């Protein structure tokens, strides 16, 4: 009845040559998982294998180029001059694995937001107009709660007076 969630569906198109071992190893290191466990054991325990194949969640996390499997999984990042979309100053399409896209989207936003320099001590403090923790939370929510069955993509748009983070999907 097609009641299986998107992330749990087996990805029949995934080619194991596209498995990003570097992203997997970084994930293992950051999460503190025993690196002596086999890749298959770890992926099964994380629920990233369905019917002995990598499922969609596994592809999103550990594919070298998720755009190859899901055209709508990329993230568009755009910096506009002013309050309208008439002039683009910077644009970036993020097409790597989920975690890399998240980190690159946060980096893009921080690079293009205004930063206040607070000089009260020996070393100055740099304070972006939106805190990194807040940006990260907003962007990860847009990525996680998007509708991957939709043809749209997550989009981060920075204007002179606001930041808009959107995704296809709803609450």
């Amino acid at each position: 009845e097609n009641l299986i969630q998107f992330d749990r569906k087996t990805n029949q198109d995934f080619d194991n040559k596209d498995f990003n071992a570097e992203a997997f190893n970084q994930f293992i290191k950051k999460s503190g998982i025993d690196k002596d466990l086999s890749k298959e054991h770890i992926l099964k325990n994380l629920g990233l294998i369905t019917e002995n194949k990598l499922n969609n969640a596994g592809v999103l996390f550990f594919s070298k180029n998720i755009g190859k499997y899901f055209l709508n999984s990329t993230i568009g990042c755009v910096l506009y001059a002013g309050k309208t979309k008439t002039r683009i100053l910077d644009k970036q399409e993020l097409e790597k694995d989920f975690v890399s896209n998240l980190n690159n989207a946060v980096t893009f936003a921080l690079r293009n937001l205004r930063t206040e320099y607070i000089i009260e001590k020996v070393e100055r403090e740099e304070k972006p107009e939106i805190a990194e923790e807040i940006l990260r939370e907003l962007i990860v929510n847009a990525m996680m709660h998007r509708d991957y069955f939709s043809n749209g993509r997550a989009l981060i748009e920075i204007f002179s007076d606001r930041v808009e983070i959107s995704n296809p999907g709803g609450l």
Side-chain angles (χ1 to χ4, degrees), residues 10-20 39 43 53-56 58-66 68-70:
T10 302
N11 191 299
Q12 299 294 343
D13 298 326
F14 186 72
D15 184 343
N16 285 326
K17 290 184 269 180
D18 290 329
F19 188 84
N20 189 337
K39 176 177 82 172
L43 291 171
K53 289 196 71 144
L54 207 59
N55 57 33
N56 289 335
V59 173
L60 287 170
F61 272 95
F62 300 121
S63 175
K64 291 177 184 173
N65 179 352
I66 59 175
K68 178 177 178 181
Y69 299 97
F70 307 112

Side-chain angles (χ1 to χ4, degrees), residues 6-142:
F6 168 84
D7 51 336
R8 295 284 187 198
K9 285 188 180 217
T10 302
N11 191 299
Q12 299 294 343
D13 298 326
F14 186 72
D15 184 343
N16 285 326
K17 290 184 269 180
D18 290 329
F19 188 84
N20 189 337
E22 181 182 332
F24 180 76
N25 292 332
Q26 286 177 357
F27 175 81
I28 296 306
K29 185 178 179 181
K30 277 190 170 187
S31 61
I33 295 174
D34 185 353
K35 58 186 168 197
D36 292 330
L37 296 171
S38 73
K39 176 177 82 172
E40 289 74 21
H41 179 79
I42 293 169
L43 291 171
K44 280 182 183 178
N45 280 352
L46 293 172
L48 300 177
I49 291 182
T50 304
E51 299 173 6
N52 294 319
K53 289 196 71 144
L54 207 59
N55 57 33
N56 289 335
V59 173
L60 287 170
F61 272 95
F62 300 121
S63 175
K64 291 177 184 173
N65 179 352
I66 59 175
K68 178 177 178 181
Y69 299 97
F70 307 112
L71 294 174
N72 58 357
S73 63
T74 61
I75 301 173
C77 300
V78 185
L79 171 66
Y80 298 104
K83 298 177 183 180
T84 65
K85 297 181 180 185
T86 54
R87 208 167 125 226
I88 296 174
L89 298 177
D90 191 7
K91 183 177 181 181
Q92 194 172 1
E93 292 292 322
L94 306 177
E95 299 178 333
K96 293 184 178 181
D97 61 272
F98 188 94
V99 175
S100 295
N101 282 353
L102 170 62
N103 292 334
N104 292 334
V106 171
T107 299
F108 178 91
L110 287 172
R111 182 179 71 238
N112 288 297
L113 290 173
R114 291 183 295 257
T115 302
E116 177 184 8
Y117 296 104
I118 302 167
I119 305 171
E120 294 176 349
K121 300 175 185 171
V122 174
E123 290 187 31
R124 76 176 183 211
E125 178 186 348
E126 295 182 9
K127 184 178 175 186
E129 63 184 318
I130 300 174
E132 182 174 349
E133 299 82 20
I134 294 170
L135 277 172
R136 181 169 296 281
E137 183 69 18
L138 292 169
I139 294 169
V140 79
N141 281 337

